[in-house]
Amino acid sequence: LGRALMRRTAVWRGLDATRMEIARVELSGTEATVSGTQLGVSYELRYSLEPGLLTLELVGSRTLEVTLDGLDFFDLGLSPLFNSLPVWRDGLLDEGAAQEYVMRFVSVPGLTVTESEQRYEPVGERRVSFSSGDFAANLVFDDEGLVEHYERLAERLR
């Protein structure tokens, strides 16, 4: 997983609200470069991710550059794509020990930046149990580590 160069375009639809996301992903080793757009009923958010930097544009409103500042990963609210980052780096699709992370979390559409403690627990069959605070969800990934299904949030379209 994540050894060779991977280039994919993935599209998700919201399960909890009217929302779509498209992301163009390039994964080289464990480093991801991504450009994407998330569309909600009342917002359009464009983003780009490169190692250590997340650039966001809330169309018609504001732009924001967010740095990692020593935290583990970025996490963009309502985006299943960002849950793939720890899977790619740490190979979480196999059964193994749970991993604890501190993420640079950006809320959507408010673009509020906070730190978020998150736990990823591999449960086998390309599934990971995800939790943060009181929130918990099961995530299903494809063979390349892209989220296929994020319980109650989003599913990937094919």
Side-chain angles (χ1 to χ4, degrees), residues 10-14 16-24 34-48 54-59 75-83 105-111 150 153-154:
V11 177
W12 295 269
R13 74 174 184 93
D16 60 331
T18 302
R19 183 178 59 255
M20 296 287 292
E21 181 170 351
I22 183 169
R24 287 159 300 285
V34 181
S35 63
T37 302
Q38 192 181 104
L39 292 171
V41 172
S42 63
Y43 70 93
E44 176 182 349
L45 178 66
R46 297 179 186 159
Y47 62 85
S48 65
L54 177 61
T55 304
L56 303 151
E57 178 193 3
L58 194 57
V59 176
D75 188 8
L76 182 63
L78 307 176
S79 173
L81 178 275
F82 285 77
N83 295 93
F105 180 80
V106 182
S107 69
V108 173
L111 301 188
Y150 187 127
L153 182 79

Side-chain angles (χ1 to χ4, degrees), residues 102-118:
V102 180
M103 308 296 206
R104 177 75 62 215
F105 180 80
V106 182
S107 69
V108 173
L111 301 188
T112 302
V113 180
T114 58
E115 289 185 13
S116 171
E117 293 182 6
Q118 299 182 2

Side-chain angles (χ1 to χ4, degrees), residues 110-150:
L111 301 188
T112 302
V113 180
T114 58
E115 289 185 13
S116 171
E117 293 182 6
Q118 299 182 2
R119 178 182 173 89
Y120 285 69
E121 183 175 354
V123 293
E125 298 180 4
R126 299 187 331 263
R127 297 174 184 272
V128 172
S129 176
F130 167 77
S131 61
S132 181
D134 296 346
F135 179 83
N138 292 308
L139 310 176
V140 179
F141 295 83
D142 68 11
D143 289 337
E144 294 177 315
L146 277 168
V147 174
E148 288 276 308
H149 185 86
Y150 187 127

